[in-house]
């Protein structure tokens, strides 16, 4: 079996980095330098026409989109390792949280970044859009807070759904989101960060995301 992971530090690829580390799956790693435009080369665009990391190439097939990669790796390796549920309702819950991270939370958070961060030129910021995005992000945190009340993890035990979603929460923390209204989220995120796999990835300075 051949597995090649295209990643970049301080990017969405950190999610996949964390998932691979939890699963202890060995693969060839190719570092992509975003600043040098390495996602725009013809070779890279043949793998992912969106020009984005992460990309996982499994036996010649390129899989992109971090949520798809987490679900794919969960199915392939996670079930045997007790980190991803068998097909059935609990699998459905895992899928729900992974997709929610990218689609619902990711959309709100993405709008917040685009309208506030210095990665985007200030003239493109829109104060009203930033306010709406922050309110939508807070609503997502409220939903997560309620889901985590009285629980240690999203599912019965720690799973790749926690790995994946906590990576988004790391980005929120990096963006200085105030978590004081979300004590269950804060405690859960600390539990996720106490995983040895998390510590190993962060020690290698891939960064948040
Ligand atoms: N929806 C995609 C988003 C991936 C994404 O936005 N990746 C960024 C880095 S965080 C990227 O590769 N950008 C290309 C570039 O800046 O050249 C996913 O979840 O995989």
């Amino acid at each position: 079996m051949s597995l090649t992971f295209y990643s970049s530090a301080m990017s969405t690829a950190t999610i996949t980095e964390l998932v691979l580390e939890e699963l202890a799956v060995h693969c060839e790693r190719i570092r992509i330098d975003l600043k040098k435009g390495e996602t725009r080369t013809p070779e890279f665009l043949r793998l992912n026409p969106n020009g984005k990391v992460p990309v996982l190439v499994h036996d010649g097939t390129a899989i992109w989109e971090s949520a798809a990669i987490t679900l794919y790796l969960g199915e392939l390796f996670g079930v045997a390792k007790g980190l991803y549920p068998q097909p059935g309702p609990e699998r459905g819950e895992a899928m729900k949280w992974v997709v929610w991270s990218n689609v619902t939370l990711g959309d709100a958070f993405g709008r917040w970044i685009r309208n506030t961060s210095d990665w985007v030129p200030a003239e493109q910021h829109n104060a009203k859009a930033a306010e709406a995005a922050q309110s939508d992000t807070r609503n997502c945190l409220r939903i997560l807070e309620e889901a985590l009340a009285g629980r240690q993890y999203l599912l019965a035990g720690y799973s790749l759904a926690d790995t994946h979603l906590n990576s988004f929460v790391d980005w929120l923390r990096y963006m200085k989101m105030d978590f004081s209204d979300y004590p269950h989220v804060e405690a859960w995120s600390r539990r996720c960060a106490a995983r040895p796999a998390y510590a190993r990835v962060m020690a290698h300075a891939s960064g948040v995301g």
Side-chain angles (χ1 to χ4, degrees), residues 76-155:
L76 208 56
F77 305 107
V79 178
K81 299 199 170 174
L83 285 167
Y84 196 70
Q86 303 274 1
E90 206 185 24
R91 163 82 62 98
E93 287 223 287
M95 295 168 81
K96 169 182 86 177
W97 285 116
V98 170
V99 173
W100 182 81
S101 306
N102 286 55
V103 177
T104 306
L105 174 60
D107 167 63
F109 180 41
R111 283 185 280 116
W112 188 34
I113 290 184
R114 282 196 296 283
N115 286 290
T116 56
S117 101
D118 51 15
W119 303 331
V120 175
E123 62 272 19
Q124 290 175 28
H125 292 176
N126 175 310
K128 281 254 174 294
E131 209 178 294
Q134 190 174 32
S135 157
D136 291 345
T137 304
R138 290 201 157 277
N139 193 43
C140 287
L141 284 173
R142 183 192 55 75
I143 290 166
L144 183 57
E145 177 70 10
E146 285 172 13
L148 287 167
R151 316 181 59 98
Q152 294 285 299
Y153 298 111
L154 294 167
L155 309 181

Side-chain angles (χ1 to χ4, degrees), residues 8-13 15-16 32-35 37-40 44 48 50-55 64-69 102 164 168 171:
S8 179
M10 287 288 285
S11 78
T12 312
I15 302 172
T16 306
I32 295 294
D33 191 331
L34 300 184
K35 292 204 183 83
E38 288 177 0
T39 50
R40 307 281 161 212
F44 190 86
N48 184 358
N50 301 288
K52 290 186 193 305
V53 290
V55 179
W64 29 261
E65 286 297 331
S66 57
I69 296 172
N102 286 55
H164 191 97
F168 280 78
W171 272 108

